[in-house]
Amino acid sequence: MSPTQIKNSSQDLLQAQVDLWHHALGFVKSMALKCAMELQIPNTIQHHGGAMTPSELAAKIGLHQSKLPRLRRLMRVLTVSGIFAVHESTTADKEAVYVLTPTTCLLVSDEVKSNLFPILSLMLDSTVLVPFFGMNSWFLDEHSTSLFKKAHGLTFWEMADKNDSYNQSINNAMVSDSNFLMDIILRECGDVFLGINSLIDVAGGHGGAASAIAKAFPQMKCTVLDLPHVIEEAPTDGHVSFISGDMFKYIPPADALFLKWVFHDWGDEDCVKILRKCKEAIPPRDAGGKVIIVDMVVGSGPNETVTRETQVFFDLFIMFLEGIEREEFEWNKIFMDAGFSGYKIVTVLGVRSVIELYP
């Protein structure tokens, strides 16, 4: 049906225009957040007692006076979108007062376990964003390669292997996510770890998740398995041991395996290979063997628009490294193809879920 065949009122047409503009300008919110983070605006407001006027903020972060009107416009975007809140001033000049929200507090918390700054920085890094400018040509390209490799000439993981600072930023991002999420997992569904004497965190990076589990369950022997270039930079805190290895080749035996945000990086065929190695490493179901997966199940979780949108946004986002976020029927297929007998999904993690997988 052509636009001329659709009999809409003027208001319908104008709303349709607004919807298109709103969609097209969605990137402005991301860039405004990135700018605020790089200017250290959340931290500056927090360290100033949690409230600042535009003039105070501009002076504190070292902006030229000519940039003050632009700063107000930046902050207006961030307040309208809910990143910051704005209060009316009681002073004579009536300047607005910017304050933190629960959302912004996740970027400035002095508690390491609540600070998501590193993972947001990685998600908004130019190396991750640039590949999407070539998405259309990537779709038309008959050669199978990732968006990231098409843009940069090497894969995301190859760049991490060759660039120490980039590798460190990835590890910091994963640790920040683990520190945040594991506190909630242990509080909301810690019983999934009961009765486990030994656990291996597969592709567990610097051990953020494993360390949290070990502290919550001191009797459990927790080990992290990851690639050599990751393990060599890992900290030693005494709670967790580290093993260098490749999950596609061999996973050491343990009562249970833990994989947080691992399977979304890989296609179905590779996921089945990893899962078969997992199955080889754990005892039978009646002996307590299981795989604990923390990942996204698209369509699960709170039935809210923001949750559903975030899930499908992230699914398209993770395509930059050929990753995928799966619906339950897609999870079921790879589980059964790998020879597992059953699973249980626990939806208590917002856009993500905990999956207990049984051999």
Side-chain angles (χ1 to χ4, degrees):
M1 182 176 290
S2 70
T4 57
Q5 293 175 297
I6 302 174
K7 302 299 183 182
N8 286 329
S9 70
S10 296
Q11 290 307 310
D12 290 336
L13 291 171
L14 289 169
Q15 184 58 52
Q17 181 199 41
V18 169
D19 291 342
L20 286 173
W21 282 27
H22 186 265
H23 199 90
L25 294 171
F27 75 96
V28 174
K29 289 201 296 184
S30 300
M31 294 301 98
L33 176 60
K34 177 179 172 68
C35 178
M37 291 170 60
E38 292 174 346
L39 290 175
Q40 295 292 318
I41 290 175
N43 280 319
T44 303
I45 293 176
Q46 184 198 37
H47 294 148
H48 196 266
M52 294 185 80
T53 66
S55 299
E56 292 171 334
L57 183 58
K60 196 68 177 178
I61 61 179
L63 299 187
H64 189 273
Q65 188 66 23
S66 65
K67 294 296 176 66
L68 180 56
R70 280 82 166 180
L71 177 64
R72 290 194 180 101
R73 291 161 66 182
L74 172 70
M75 295 302 292
R76 182 168 58 186
V77 168
L78 293 168
T79 54
V80 167
S81 58
I83 300 297
F84 295 93
V86 60
H87 294 169
E88 287 189 11
S89 175
T90 57
T91 60
D93 56 16
K94 297 297 183 181
E95 266 203 303
V97 177
Y98 305 125
V99 297
L100 303 180
T101 63
T103 300
T104 335
C105 287
L106 292 178
L107 299 175
V108 300
S109 176
D110 290 330
E111 294 186 43
V112 174
K113 67 181 181 181
S114 299
N115 196 328
L116 295 181
F117 192 101
I119 191 165
L120 264 294
S121 295
L122 179 62
M123 290 170 68
L124 295 170
D125 190 83
S126 60
T127 59
V128 174
L129 299 179
V130 164
F132 288 96
F133 288 95
M135 188 188 294
N136 63 319
S137 63
W138 175 84
F139 268 109
L140 294 170
D141 193 339
E142 63 183 31
H143 301 292
S144 180
T145 187
S146 67
L147 277 164
F148 193 94
K149 186 171 183 178
K150 184 174 176 63
H152 300 295
L154 69 174
T155 70
F156 181 71
W157 306 114
E158 288 170 344
M159 183 174 285
D161 193 30
K162 294 178 180 297
N163 186 318
D164 289 342
S165 63
Y166 199 67
N167 182 54
Q168 188 62 50
S169 70
I170 294 171
N171 289 328
N172 290 343
M174 295 303 100
V175 169
S176 77
D177 183 66
S178 291
N179 288 340
F180 169 76
L181 199 63
M182 288 309 302
D183 183 59
I184 298 172
I185 291 173
L186 293 168
R187 187 165 63 241
E188 298 295 332
C189 50
D191 56 348
V192 300
F193 299 103
L194 293 176
I196 298 173
N197 293 314
S198 60
L199 177 142
I200 292 181
D201 184 358
V202 180
H206 284 184
S211 181
I213 296 168
K215 290 174 183 176
F217 298 92
Q219 81 288 352
M220 190 189 303
K221 179 185 177 183
C222 292
T223 306
V224 172
L225 172 72
D226 216 315
L227 296 171
H229 73 271
V230 177
I231 296 301
E232 67 185 15
E233 300 292 335
T236 54
D237 63 2
H239 296 287
V240 175
S241 57
F242 292 85
I243 297 176
S244 174
D246 185 341
M247 63 186 173
F248 285 99
K249 296 178 180 178
Y250 176 72
I251 298 175
D255 292 344
L257 304 179
F258 183 77
L259 296 95
K260 184 184 81 67
W261 245 11
V262 173
F263 291 107
H264 77 166
D265 291 335
W266 303 97
D268 289 357
E269 185 177 334
D270 284 328
C271 284
V272 171
K273 290 178 182 178
I274 297 168
L275 285 165
R276 285 175 177 161
K277 292 300 179 184
C278 289
K279 191 168 182 286
E280 292 173 3
I282 57 175
R285 181 173 183 172
D286 58 9
K290 63 180 174 180
V291 179
I292 303 167
I293 298 168
V294 176
D295 225 311
M296 201 175 287
V297 181
V298 177
S300 295
N303 188 23
E304 300 169 353
T305 300
V306 67
T307 301
R308 295 290 178 263
E309 283 194 349
T310 302
Q311 288 177 333
V312 297
F313 287 166
F314 201 91
D315 176 47
L316 193 62
F317 170 78
I318 201 69
M319 201 167 70
F320 83 90
L321 50 68
E322 286 295 83
I324 179 175
E325 301 298 349
R326 296 174 170 87
E327 297 181 53
E328 183 176 351
F329 79 91
E330 295 171 302
W331 281 110
N332 179 77
K333 184 179 186 305
I334 63 173
F335 292 159
M336 297 305 110
D337 287 352
F340 285 82
S341 64
Y343 61 90
K344 179 173 71 174
I345 298 174
V346 184
T347 57
V348 293
L349 301 178
V351 296
R352 286 179 281 187
S353 299
V354 174
I355 307 174
E356 290 186 77
L357 180 60
Y358 310 109

